């Protein structure tokens, strides 16, 4: 009996140590993240994709790294510097923050990005395919910040416009346009900063894989694109009401006319595309279903899909839309979001069977995050404006 | 005796209360800062220019607001939310940070700006003259992000280019160019974000007060513009060596040729200006003294001045430079920085007496900060390219 208890204690102690050893087995090949502030050595990432942060907080009682919805305790050294690391993260970009004695704050060492409805820290886990968005010595387009007055919203707004390399050189060429939307809690800076849309296009164009086109990145947030109360369409009006309408009005009445008036666009349906991620994909669905005379190419990244029923209720959509591209991160497909008109692959395949030019793409080993959307743009852009 | 002691106690108590009352006499008309993150109610500013911050940090022992090189203790309420305010601040833009149990971090409620060699919080104290940089319903230029390859540094670099309203409409007009530099610890984003250079120009052009011109804002930091070791000029070489040389080479060999090749510039000396603030002013001094065949208009904002001795050692400068503009904040002049070739007003007046077109400007009641430099640009721009 005593022997058994002793053995049990030994077993528990041993397995406890094993567990501890497993938790602490961290490969010591950390390198500073690519989106650190200039000259900052932390945060760092190792070959497993663990994130290690460091901050001086001599009087703090508890400091945590908060990434991927998990909080990791940091450890304080004798100088009051706290250090610690996360479990391995997926390849690509992630938002994170620090918690210092209950205060959620940005890490003072990282660059800042707008997501989760706030400017906060970001980190890059080097991806095996990161070459497609690397800064290379190729001709670079410009990302232009444009302030403009919106009659729909009765206010000045801001958007970013990517113009392809050579746009200013040959002033006779006109270009197709992609209207490209961010997700919920993000804004007009997202596609250019964390999405690396400009670099993806520069590289695709340099390799001859995509036609040069203009990309317009505006703010589709409900709070930023809400029409004045008197001008909101009544409930029950087609197209479907809600969060998409404010932006639809702004896009159709203000943004597209402003872009066509100020840039050398090919200002017709066959040269106009819309795409978006997450909430931006849902907006793309509502807006393009209601306006097949305006857009010919449609992209929805982690933002639902379009069903045969949708198409039946949208006169002209099936005939006039030349490309429907639907994509997800693989970790989303493992746990699919069926809330927006059924299974996205099944929906997309059904439309292909009906004769539409549809594409379904799954980003390997990524979730509802920017690496899925960078890859989606990289897959989508070469398909645009080919017909 | 007892009466006297009693009177003394009364007096001390009363004067102590007075002192406390004076410290606490804060006018309760706080409003959210103009550079808060979307939807955030804090930080706030009152009519005295006091800054009030608020942050939830339930387990923190001490939280401070750090602004203008002074730290102010915040007070915790029963929910763990800390609140407190600073002494009145000068009008205009200021960097600040929070200290949470010894950790210096950005305030999670503000927008972030690059200064003091880090991305951190900023606040706007409304200025009586803020109309000149307000967002108005006038034609707006663009601020363009351009990535380019620099042979001098053997790396890709980034700059921002302001193109005036109408630049894309009339593709025959060519424009003069101002090369406009940030200060030490800042970067190529400063003039556009905290400096509001684009808005200042949009408003000046709309009122017909300034000629439309292009502004190039690049990174002049020593760390970003340092030539490879073998290519650094030997000590004692004219022009003066040090922090300016790396950027001078980059500017003359890479940036100006890239801009002239890609924008519709008037690519000659009489249509090319250089200006900068603080370190950027010192760089302007060194670079324009050494290159009077390249630049015709010169601006130094809180960054020293040019003496008659400087001009005597710089052949052609006196004859070829059509404008020398020197400015300071009034609080700097009260405590003048005489380290760069003598008293700035005296130096500038002497050059005027020698026949040069010089201007000396003092920004009222501002220090070595962005409000001085916004006002300097507003004064400087209308003088440019008039002859």
């Amino acid at each position: 009996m005593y022997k058994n208890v002793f053995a049990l204690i030994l077993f528990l102690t041993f397995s406890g140590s094993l567990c501890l050893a497993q938790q602490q087995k961290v490969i010591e090949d950390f390198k500073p993240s690519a989106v650190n502030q200039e000259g900052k050595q932390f945060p760092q990432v190792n070959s497993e994709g663990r994130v290690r942060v460091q901050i001086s907080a001599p009087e703090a009682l508890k400091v945590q790294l908060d990434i991927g919805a998990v909080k990791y305790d940091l450890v304080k050294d004798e100088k009051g510097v706290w250090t610690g690391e996360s479990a391995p993260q997926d390849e690509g970009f992630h938002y994170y923050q620090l918690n210092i004695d209950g205060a959620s704050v940005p890490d003072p060492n990282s660059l800042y990005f707008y997501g989760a409805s706030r400017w906060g820290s970001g980190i890059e886990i080097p991806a095996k395919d990161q070459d497609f968005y690397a800064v290379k010595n190729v001709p670079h387009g410009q990302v232009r910040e444009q302030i403009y007055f919106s009659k729909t919203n009765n206010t000045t707004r801001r958007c970013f416009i990517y113009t392809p390399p050579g746009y200013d050189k040959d002033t006779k060429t006109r270009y197709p346009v992609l209207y490209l939307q961010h997700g919920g809690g993000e804004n007009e800076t997202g596609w250019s900063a964390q999405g690396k849309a400009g670099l993806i296009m520069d590289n695709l164009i340099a390799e001859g894989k995509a036609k040069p086109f203009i990309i317009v990145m505006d703010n589709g947030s409900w709070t930023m694109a809400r029409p004045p109360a008197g001008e909101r369409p009544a409930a029950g009006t087609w197209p479907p009401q809600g969060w998409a309408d404010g932006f639809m009005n702004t896009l159709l009445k203000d943004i597209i006319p402003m872009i066509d008036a100020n840039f050398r666009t090919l200002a017709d349906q066959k040269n106009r595309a819309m795409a978006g991620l997450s909430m931006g994909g849902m907006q793309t669905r509502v807006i393009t279903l209601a306006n097949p005379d305006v857009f010919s190419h449609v992209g929805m990244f982690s933002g639902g899909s379009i069903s045969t029923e949708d198409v039946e209720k949208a006169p002209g959509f099936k005939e006039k839309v030349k490309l429907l591209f639907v994509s997800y991160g693989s970790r989303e497909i493992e746990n699919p979001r069926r809330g927006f008109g059924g299974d996205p692959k099944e929906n997309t395949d059904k439309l292909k069977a009906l004769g539409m030019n549809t594409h379904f793409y799954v980003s390997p080993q990524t979730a509802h995050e920017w690496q899925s959307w960078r890859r989606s743009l990289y897959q989508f852009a070469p398909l645009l404006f080919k017909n």
Side-chain angles (χ1 to χ4, degrees), chain A:
Chain A
M1 171 68 181
Y2 280 124
K3 268 188 184 170
N4 282 351
V5 169
F6 187 63
L8 183 67
I9 289 172
L10 249 185
F11 171 77
L12 287 174
T13 308
F14 186 61
S15 60
S17 304
L18 253 187
C19 183
L20 199 67
Q22 202 165 17
Q23 278 179 352
Q24 291 181 336
K25 193 184 157 194
V26 169
I27 299 176
E28 285 299 333
D29 58 357
F30 285 90
K31 293 192 180 72
S33 157
V35 290
N36 282 2
Q37 292 186 31
E38 196 197 330
K40 297 296 171 74
Q41 292 304 303
F42 284 88
Q44 301 185 338
V45 183
N46 77 354
S47 55
E48 300 169 278
R50 290 185 200 270
V51 174
R52 176 174 282 172
V53 294
Q54 186 170 90
I55 187 167
S56 172
E59 286 101 50
L61 305 173
K62 188 177 187 181
V63 180
Q64 293 177 309
L65 162 62
D66 180 352
I67 186 168
V70 178
K71 289 176 183 165
Y72 301 89
D73 288 342
L74 309 191
V75 176
K76 189 180 179 175
D77 72 10
E78 70 282 358
K79 290 176 183 161
V81 176
W82 296 75
T83 308
E85 53 276 320
S86 73
Q89 306 291 310
D90 283 340
E91 294 188 350
F93 177 90
H94 309 284
Y95 301 112
Y96 76 99
Q97 63 184 1
L98 300 181
N99 285 279
I100 303 173
D101 286 346
S104 295
V105 293
D107 181 344
N109 291 325
S110 86
L111 293 179
Y112 303 129
F113 303 86
Y114 196 75
S117 300
R118 54 126 177 78
W119 285 94
S121 290
I123 191 135
E124 279 287 342
I125 311 298
K128 281 182 277 298
D129 59 347
Q130 64 187 355
D131 186 69
F132 79 82
Y133 51 85
V135 181
K136 299 180 188 177
N137 186 6
V138 297
H140 291 280
Q142 295 171 354
V143 177
R144 308 178 180 197
E145 180 183 7
Q146 178 72 64
I147 296 169
Y148 65 98
F149 185 78
S150 159
K151 285 182 192 164
T152 305
N153 300 280
N154 193 30
T155 187
T156 47
R157 288 170 56 95
R158 176 176 79 157
C159 69
F160 290 92
I161 301 114
Y162 170 81
T163 53
Y167 180 88
D168 284 318
K169 287 262 171 92
D170 169 11
T171 56
K172 279 172 192 159
T173 305
R174 303 185 78 88
Y175 297 86
V177 186
L178 165 64
Y179 292 84
L180 184 61
Q181 290 305 121
H182 59 84
E186 296 172 335
N187 69 12
E188 71 275 19
T189 64
W191 266 111
S192 191
Q194 48 282 45
K196 298 185 183 281
L199 293 171
I200 292 170
M201 291 308 303
D202 290 345
N203 291 338
L204 279 171
I205 293 167
E207 292 177 23
K209 289 182 181 167
K211 233 177 127 160
F213 53 83
I214 293 167
I215 302 180
V216 177
M217 297 161 281
D218 207 303
N219 191 315
S221 315
W222 173 240
T223 52
M224 293 290 283
R226 188 175 186 159
E231 296 171 28
R232 279 174 223 158
T237 317
W238 175 260
Q241 302 310 305
W243 43 262
D245 296 323
F247 186 63
M248 180 158 67
N249 287 329
T250 306
L251 180 61
L252 298 182
K253 295 181 188 167
D254 291 326
I255 301 171
I256 293 176
M258 182 273 291
I259 294 295
D260 283 337
N262 290 284
F263 291 83
R264 296 196 317 281
T265 63
L266 291 163
D268 56 9
Q269 185 260 3
K270 70 176 181 174
N271 289 293
R272 199 179 291 119
M274 183 174 182
L277 72 92
S278 194
M279 181 187 83
M282 303 177 213
Q283 289 174 317
T284 298
R285 175 179 168 276
V286 171
I287 292 170
T288 59
L289 277 169
N291 296 280
D293 288 329
V294 180
F295 302 96
S296 54
H297 295 69
V298 177
M300 298 166 64
F301 312 157
S302 305
S305 59
I306 289 179
S307 68
T308 47
E309 292 74 24
D310 291 332
V311 171
E312 279 162 21
K313 282 190 280 182
F317 189 86
K318 180 173 172 293
E319 298 73 28
K320 290 173 184 168
V321 166
K322 300 301 174 198
L323 171 72
L324 172 61
F325 178 97
V326 175
S327 70
Y328 274 90
S330 66
R331 303 208 196 288
E332 299 180 277
I333 292 294
E334 291 157 14
N335 177 21
R337 300 179 166 231
R338 296 170 191 266
F340 310 100
D343 177 87
K345 183 170 190 316
E346 197 179 298
N347 275 346
T348 308
D349 286 347
K350 278 187 186 168
L351 291 178
K352 191 189 275 288
L354 286 182
M356 286 192 74
N357 176 27
T358 68
H359 288 252
F360 188 76
Y361 169 72
V362 177
S363 162
Q365 294 185 293
T366 60
H368 196 71
E369 291 203 280
W370 277 99
Q371 194 68 4
S372 301
W373 308 322
R374 292 170 177 168
R375 288 174 178 165
S376 294
L377 178 61
Y378 180 69
Q379 298 292 328
F380 179 59
L383 305 174
L384 286 180
F385 311 120
K386 294 287 186 186
N387 41 22

